Amino acid sequence: MRGMALSAFPTPDHDHDRCTADALAHAEALCEARAQRLTPIRRQVLAALLTSHRPLGAYEIIELTGQEGARPAPITIYRALDFLMENGLVHRIESRNAFIACIHNHSTADFVVFLICERCGAVGEVSSGAIGETLSNAARAAGFAPKAPVVEISGICAHCRGA
Amino acid sequence: MRGMALSAFPTPDHDHDRCTADALAHAEALCEARAQRLTPIRRQVLAALLTSHRPLGAYEIIELTGQEGARPAPITIYRALDFLMENGLVHRIESRNAFIACIHNHSTADFVVFLICERCGAVGEVSSGAIGETLSNAARAAGFAPKAPVVEISGICAHCRGA
DNA sequence: AAGTAATTGTTGCAATGCAACAAATCGCCC
DNA sequence: GGGCGATTTGTTGCATTGCAACAATTACTT
Ligand SMILES: [Zn+2]
Ligand SMILES: [Zn+2]
Ligand SMILES: [Zn+2]
Ligand SMILES: [Zn+2]
């Protein structure tokens, strides 16, 4: 499968409940397998991010998680996000200073392109080993030993363009 | 020349005085040609960014520009940065929330890959139409109408690896 | 000189992000 | 079960980012 582009821009009519449930189940299984603790807070933060396919800022997450009275401090959210990112369950969208739940079961090292719709705010992931390799080669050609390329493309998604 | 990778990771031994002078001269000429005003503040901000090839945060720029007594307010810096970015004289490094002067005379629409050295902090630009096209194609394959791709690669530069 | 547009100054604030330390909780071994 | 180190969470506080809104100034045009 390596090198094949795998597109996943969430369509408005997809089964999002299932989408959410799958992602949570995957997180559960992955943490179990790695002997990592998916604590209530971490799960709440992941669940908050899973409510949409838009990247959320720290304060938005605080509002979503702190529904019943006591709202968590920012640092609490950041710590949970750190954990989730280390385990590849959440991505950071650098150009937005925001975070999004990963709904793909790709490895942490996998190269990912984020497609960010300027209209509806939805973010899709396109994973392509070929692009990653091209970028790595370009970096190496400049005498550069690359780590993780960050690729974020702004634009208009198919659904928004159709409407 | 389109499609050919043009590498420009600044080497430690390059003639940086000339590098700076050229960039300022280019900025001058470009603003002249476009009937844009390269005011003292804007020039100071550009000059501050040109003192190194590392991306600088807003506060660092404030410190560098406000040497003689009165230091400009953050908003002043951001406004100057907006102007400089609109004219392609400065780039924003999204993954760092920082800004860097562009030392290439590429067009605003040109696709650019930033190489960010984790050791010395220097940032180089690699411009490649081929990569840009590949990315655009991948985006379009996902039904996405792409605007400006942001590509930032962390790693270790040749000089730091040698040392 | 008057009027308009562009630029800069001033004040204020929301949001990002995390350091440092205290308290609570968990996992494990005896 | 009780003790203990490791992990996680709570609390406080602050540096930084980023910009809105309005006033004052400067520059360009007629
Ligand atoms: Zn979904
Ligand atoms: Zn959209
Ligand atoms: Zn230089
Ligand atoms: Zn370096």
Side-chain angles (χ1 to χ4, degrees), chain B residues 61-146:
Chain B
I61 299 173
I62 289 177
E63 271 164 40
L64 286 174
T65 54
Q67 296 291 33
E68 348 64 52
R71 30 177 45 197
I75 185 74
T76 302
I77 303 299
Y78 283 110
R79 285 197 279 229
L81 288 170
D82 281 346
F83 172 87
L84 294 168
M85 283 192 290
E86 273 164 24
N87 287 282
L89 299 168
V90 162
H91 298 297
R92 178 191 175 82
I93 306 297
E94 304 286 356
S95 60
R96 304 290 167 109
N97 290 342
F99 305 86
I100 192 163
C102 178
I103 53 171
H104 311 285
N105 306 354
H106 59 74
S107 109
T108 317
D110 273 1
F111 167 78
V112 172
V113 174
F114 294 104
L115 305 173
I116 309 166
C117 180
E118 293 175 349
R119 192 85 56 89
C120 66
V123 170
E125 291 186 24
V126 175
S127 181
S128 160
I131 297 179
E133 228 135 293
T134 306
L135 283 175
S136 290
N137 288 340
R140 267 188 281 272
F144 200 82

